[in-house]
Amino acid sequence: LSRRLARELAQARTQISDDRAKLTRELSLERGSLSDELEQRQQQLSSQQGALGREQGRVKLITSEVDDEVLTLNVGGVLFSTCRSTLCLYEGSYLANLFSGRWDASIERDAQGRYFLDFDPVSFRILLNFLRSKRIQGSFSLGPPLVSPEREEHFRNLVEYLGLTAQLEEAADEAEVEPPQPAPLGSSILQSASVLFGGLVLGSPVAPMATNPRRPVAPAVAPAVAPAVAPLLAAEGSSSSRAPPELSTSSTSRSPVHGLSTSGASMHGGLDRGSGAVFAEEAAPGTKRPGWSQKNSHRLAATDPDDPCLVSIADTRSLASAAAVRATRGFKSGRHSWQVDVEICSDWSYIGLVSEQWSALSSPIGRSPHSWGVASNGTVYAYREERGRLQEFNQGSRVGFVVEAYTQGDARVGRVTILIDGHEFGNVFSGLPLPLFPAVSNCRSPARYRLTFSEGGSPTA
């Protein structure tokens, strides 16, 4: 009997131990579930509190600013009235800096003393209405403004000039993303506690606004570069519908620069011009020293009368556009090189090359059809598309180009190597139509560029 009782007692103890372990596991799981749900709700509540703070700031901006001045602007002959705070909505943009109050004396005025901006009034109205709507809606998603196709390019140039490109792209991204919904409450033995805490939550979270970048010209890290071989261009008669040539890279990448690779060969002495070189010039060779063109140049680009290789571009801020110029000499075959010395430039300088069909005198080189170039911040553009990143250049820099013609299918096309302050970037562009002409452009503040054709075939470092 005692042995049987001892056996039953041992079994009871084992059963109690198993039940205790089971209950402990269940309780632990419930605690973990509640902890996760509590953390999620706290994050939602924090997001709501942040949104409430932003909305309070927006209401204060709209209703309580005693220093917010109403400005009357003469934009291309059309009068606009708006608050200074609307124009200064995006801190750090050129528009906000212009009307911050520090530079009022430098803004051009009309005969009645109103601020005068020589912009397209229709495009400016679209942009101003976007700023007004954004000011009212605050952190809530607001899609980009709708622009008719015939004004799209001018509106894009205006937005870029005023430093608002990144903000409108951000608005487009926000309009495509739905705000996350709160997670449903789980059913458990502790659900009542979850419901009680959930009552503190006001609704779905609102994503905080992203910080505006300092400069909208280019991202910090360039996108991936296109494949190495460019598609063959269509015939010259169908140039308006053909696809832009691709940006290419060397197969052996040893460059620390984002997006592009450099070739291993030195530029000096390795790319001499071939004996069968052919030029394309506006005047017959020998009748005029090659340099910057007066025929193919913006009205604000002035060639030095004593030195055709020196061009000065005046301040373009009143036009809200760039000013571009190409060279008189282009290249059809063989290997050729030239260099551009940047004597004066702003942070909106572009240096590159254009085809014979190019005519966009008010657009940056590389950001218009039939043009390819590199911006002063190192971003590479091909036929209006951003294609990678080299290195920055600025006042005092030297940017060299080497063009080599080759056969692609039944056509003769060109590939381009670029040298920036002694650093070589091989085969940056390929599949470009010939002939190709050196070109530069600048926006906002004045600029000056000196062009030198290298008879020996290679630019100097």
Side-chain angles (χ1 to χ4, degrees), residues 168-182:
L168 265 71
E169 290 177 350
E170 179 182 313
D173 293 340
E174 288 179 352
E176 296 176 357
V177 178
E178 293 185 6
Q181 300 297 324

Side-chain angles (χ1 to χ4, degrees), residues 37-332:
E37 196 168 14
L38 179 62
E39 183 179 357
Q40 184 181 32
R41 295 305 182 183
Q42 286 175 335
Q43 291 176 352
Q44 293 175 359
L45 183 59
S46 177
S47 178
Q48 286 292 333
Q49 289 174 338
L52 180 60
R54 289 191 297 275
E55 290 306 308
Q56 288 175 341
R58 181 178 62 85
V59 172
K60 181 179 180 181
L61 177 68
I62 296 175
T63 61
S64 305
E65 272 196 3
V66 296
D67 297 331
D68 196 8
E69 182 182 359
V70 176
L71 304 179
T72 300
L73 312 178
N74 181 348
V75 181
V78 178
L79 298 183
F80 294 85
S81 294
T82 187
C83 296
R84 185 184 293 272
S85 60
T86 300
L87 301 175
C88 299
L89 182 64
Y90 289 110
E91 295 183 8
S93 67
Y94 180 67
L95 179 64
N97 292 336
L98 190 64
F99 288 97
S100 63
R102 299 189 300 270
W103 310 105
D104 287 358
S106 64
I107 304 176
E108 188 176 354
R109 297 178 183 256
D110 62 11
Q112 285 71 40
R114 296 175 293 233
Y115 296 113
F116 178 76
L117 302 175
D118 194 13
F119 302 157
D120 172 33
V122 177
S123 298
F124 185 81
R125 184 187 302 277
I126 296 172
L127 179 60
L128 182 60
N129 286 338
F130 170 79
L131 295 176
R132 287 166 170 163
S133 299
K134 187 64 179 177
R135 182 169 177 259
I136 294 173
Q137 294 194 17
S139 60
F140 293 104
S141 298
L142 176 67
L146 299 177
V147 184
S148 59
E150 62 271 14
R151 295 191 178 274
E152 193 171 302
E153 183 171 357
H154 189 93
F155 180 77
R156 183 174 61 250
N157 290 336
L158 175 64
V159 169
E160 183 176 348
Y161 177 81
L162 295 176
L164 296 170
T165 301
Q167 286 77 9
L168 265 71
E169 290 177 350
E170 179 182 313
D173 293 340
E174 288 179 352
E176 296 176 357
V177 178
E178 293 185 6
Q181 300 297 324
L185 294 177
S187 59
S188 67
I189 59 174
L190 301 176
Q191 185 172 8
S192 58
S194 299
V195 173
L196 178 61
F197 182 81
L200 299 175
V201 182
L202 300 177
S204 60
V206 179
M209 294 177 64
T211 303
N212 295 330
R214 182 178 64 87
R215 278 169 45 175
V217 174
V221 178
V225 182
V229 181
L232 181 63
L233 296 176
E236 182 176 337
S238 61
S239 62
S240 61
S241 62
R242 68 194 182 192
E246 298 287 351
L247 178 68
S248 63
T249 64
S250 168
S251 59
T252 58
S253 176
R254 296 189 297 172
S255 170
V257 184
H258 294 296
L260 293 176
S261 62
T262 61
S263 63
S266 170
M267 180 172 291
H268 301 287
L271 291 171
D272 294 334
R273 191 170 57 198
S275 58
V278 179
F279 299 100
E281 298 191 87
E282 295 175 3
T287 62
K288 185 178 180 181
R289 179 186 172 191
W292 296 115
S293 172
Q294 296 182 7
K295 176 182 176 182
N296 294 282
S297 66
H298 192 278
R299 62 183 178 85
L300 294 183
T303 303
D304 191 306
D306 299 324
D307 186 356
C309 291
L310 185 64
V311 65
S312 298
I313 300 178
D315 193 309
T316 67
R317 277 174 280 204
S318 62
L319 302 180
S321 69
V325 57
R326 76 163 217 199
T328 58
R329 171 178 287 183
F331 304 102
K332 293 182 177 179

Side-chain angles (χ1 to χ4, degrees), residues 374 390-393 398-400 418-423 425:
V374 56
L390 301 182
Q391 73 173 51
E392 297 183 2
F393 66 84
R398 174 170 292 177
V399 183
I418 298 179
L419 185 73
I420 301 178
D421 291 331
H423 295 88
F425 303 91

